[in-house]
Amino acid sequence: MDNVSDAVHYIFLAAAACFVLGLHLMNHPRTARRGNSLSAGAMAVAIGATVWLVADEGVISRTGWLVLVTGGLFGAALGLWAARAVQMTAMPQLVSVFNAVGGGAAALIAVNDLLQAEDAALLGARVSLPGALDIVIGAVTFSGSLIAAGKLQGVVSGAPVVFPGARLLNVLLPAAFVVGAVWLVLAPDSRTALYGLVAVALLFGVTMVLPIGGADMPVVIALLNAFTGSAVAMAGFVLNETALIIAGMLVSASGGILTKLMADAMNRSIANIVIGGFGTGDSAPAATGSGAPAQVRSVSADDVAIQLAYARKVVFVPGYGLAAAQAQHELGDLAKLLTDHGVDVSYAVHPVAGRMPGHMNVLLAEANVPYTQLKEMDDVNPEFPQADVALVIGANDVTNPIARRPGNAVSGMPILDVDKAKSVVVIKRSMGHGYAGIDNELYTDPKTGMFFTDAKKGLSELKAAVGEFVG
């Protein structure tokens, strides 16, 4: 090793250490931005060090440099545009696309390494085995993440897509890529084994995600994120690069833990979700407010404002409807008005609220909601009986009392105990179903008032009306 390669090696190790520290800082909302910035900075330094090493070794032609620089600038510009232009409602789709890019890039590293090897037949298992695993995991992640993004965007049906023989195919395909992986390890120079393994893995990614319903998408996103990390780690073994291995395993381990936590929050096993999820997506028919059943009690902005203004304790329950209406700032303003008036305000955040892990936390942080007011399900549930008003904004399945009874799609799923509050108000545009595709019994509870309106408009009206009472 020369001086440059030695220096780059140590830079990579320092970057890997920053990745670990950055991940640790993301444990708390107060330090999450700092951790994200540290990790991003470390990655930028690692990329710069790689360019330095490549330039020093002189292994790239002028055309190669042109491709490298053009690709880097295009990717950076696209990433910057996406970060600034994509709305929070589309963030789950963006994360899925990023998962696809990461998994696909990792798989291409192994494919390129096998194709460019001077004598691929002599490659040992140290390269061919992680290479085969990289191709399988990366290709599955690539195609599966694209299908997940399509489901979230509405391009692919949010309901489980099942066709005759789908279950059998999902058993045969893993068996096929096990055979293909063994074949590639034993014969690294076999183009048939290489291309066949890629094709089978890509097909399995599609057939694995299609039968999973929209209600399980938060878990699927976390699982595919873990897959991306595993693929990147395998690419690190192929390239014999320690920093890549560390970074990949950090993503894989954290994504795996998050997947388990999300599955537990839905009272479903990961295997059960992968075998076939539930949910209808946004395709379930919805009744309008005017056509709501007679037992539903409709309320006005003034009705709700009176309750909020004279309450001692209010719990806000945000859901995807809040994100869809981009009403987080209006909610934050209403909460601040009540807090200044002396009302005890808190936010009940369910682990799978929204369509991505941590979706609600990020959304509320964007509106500068105090971290101390954000409470997880286990912490806030004991507080609902003391709450004078529980205001639900666009949350559906995570508040459905039917989950406490067996025999339905959400049976056993831990929910927010909204129905135990003294009074409940639900802001919703219609009586439409959530992703599980079932009616919410909370809406017909005698102490629940339905405020049929868009979340952004409704919260603005509530802020103005509350201001009249407390001003």
Side-chain angles (χ1 to χ4, degrees):
M1 298 178 70
D2 57 25
N3 291 334
V4 173
S5 61
D6 285 344
V8 169
H9 178 72
Y10 289 122
I11 290 174
F12 284 166
L13 289 180
C18 289
F19 294 154
V20 176
L21 180 59
L23 187 63
H24 174 71
L25 291 173
M26 292 180 195
N27 281 333
H28 194 279
R30 195 180 303 278
T31 57
R33 288 187 178 181
R34 197 188 319 157
N36 193 46
S37 299
L38 177 63
S39 299
M43 180 58 71
V45 171
I47 293 173
T50 303
V51 174
W52 179 29
L53 180 62
V54 170
D56 179 71
E57 294 179 347
V59 295
I60 298 183
S61 64
R62 290 183 179 179
T63 303
W65 276 111
L66 179 62
V67 172
L68 182 64
V69 172
T70 302
L73 291 176
F74 176 76
L78 186 61
L80 182 62
W81 171 83
R84 292 181 176 275
V86 174
Q87 298 292 337
M88 273 302 302
T89 49
M91 200 57 64
Q93 295 93 302
L94 182 63
V95 171
S96 290
V97 172
F98 283 168
N99 280 341
V101 171
L108 286 175
I109 288 175
V111 171
N112 179 73
D113 201 74
L114 291 171
L115 290 177
Q116 297 298 322
E118 293 183 2
D119 194 347
L122 297 180
L123 289 176
R126 194 206 67 78
V127 174
S128 60
L129 179 56
L133 293 174
D134 184 8
I135 291 170
V136 170
I137 301 171
V140 168
T141 303
F142 176 75
S143 57
S145 295
L146 291 180
I147 296 298
K151 280 178 171 283
L152 292 167
Q153 187 64 26
V155 178
V156 181
S157 173
V161 178
V162 182
F163 52 88
R167 294 287 175 88
L168 178 61
L169 185 62
N170 278 348
V171 173
L172 294 178
L173 286 176
F177 58 63
V178 167
V179 172
V182 173
W183 184 3
L184 189 62
V185 171
L186 296 177
D189 59 335
S190 173
R191 296 292 186 268
T192 304
L194 176 61
Y195 297 143
L197 187 60
V198 171
V200 170
L202 287 173
L203 180 59
F204 180 69
V206 174
T207 61
M208 180 187 77
V209 179
L210 276 178
I212 302 177
D216 289 325
M217 277 303 111
V219 182
V220 173
I221 292 174
L223 179 62
L224 291 172
N225 180 251
F227 282 5
T228 299
S230 298
V232 170
M234 291 302 106
F237 282 109
V238 171
L239 298 177
N240 195 27
E241 183 48 64
T242 305
L244 205 57
I245 296 172
I246 295 173
M249 291 313 298
L250 282 174
V251 175
S252 179
S254 58
I257 294 171
L258 182 59
T259 302
K260 181 64 168 60
L261 292 174
M262 300 295 286
D264 289 345
M266 299 178 70
N267 195 39
R268 291 162 58 73
S269 68
I270 297 173
N272 183 251
I273 290 170
V274 173
I275 289 173
F278 68 96
T280 61
D282 292 328
S283 60
T288 62
S290 59
Q295 66 268 31
V296 171
R297 181 167 60 90
S298 182
V299 295
S300 67
D302 287 337
D303 295 330
V304 181
I306 292 173
Q307 295 186 61
L308 294 175
Y310 293 99
R312 289 176 299 175
K313 182 177 181 61
V314 173
V315 179
F316 293 115
V317 182
Y320 182 73
L322 176 75
Q326 301 180 40
Q328 62 270 27
H329 295 286
E330 285 73 17
L331 177 59
D333 291 343
L334 174 61
K336 186 177 185 305
L337 178 62
L338 291 173
T339 301
D340 292 344
H341 183 56
V343 179
D344 180 7
V345 171
S346 58
Y347 297 79
V349 182
H350 193 280
V352 295
R355 297 183 183 175
M356 181 180 71
H359 198 174
M360 288 300 107
N361 300 76
V362 175
L363 195 73
L364 294 172
E366 188 180 272
N368 296 316
V369 169
Y371 300 133
T372 53
Q373 293 182 351
L374 300 180
K375 297 188 178 182
E376 297 181 0
M377 178 176 61
D378 291 339
D379 296 327
V380 77
N381 269 346
E383 297 185 12
F384 276 111
Q386 286 78 47
D388 295 297
V389 182
L391 182 61
V392 181
I393 310 101
N396 201 324
D397 297 328
V398 297
T399 65
N400 197 341
I402 200 174
R404 301 190 187 111
R405 300 201 307 270
N408 60 78
V410 294
S411 291
M413 185 178 86
I415 61 169
L416 294 167
D417 295 335
V418 176
D419 59 323
K420 295 183 180 179
K422 298 172 184 175
S423 177
V424 180
V425 176
V426 177
I427 297 179
K428 206 170 183 295
R429 289 182 297 179
S430 72
M431 289 291 290
H433 298 150
Y435 256 93
I438 57 177
D439 292 329
N440 191 337
E441 291 187 350
L442 178 68
Y443 302 164
T444 56
D445 190 308
K447 62 182 176 183
T448 297
M450 299 295 298
F451 185 19
F452 290 109
T453 183
D454 173 79
K456 190 168 190 175
K457 177 184 177 183
L459 289 169
S460 296
E461 291 178 359
L462 287 181
K463 179 188 173 185
V466 169
E468 295 291 330
F469 289 107
V470 302

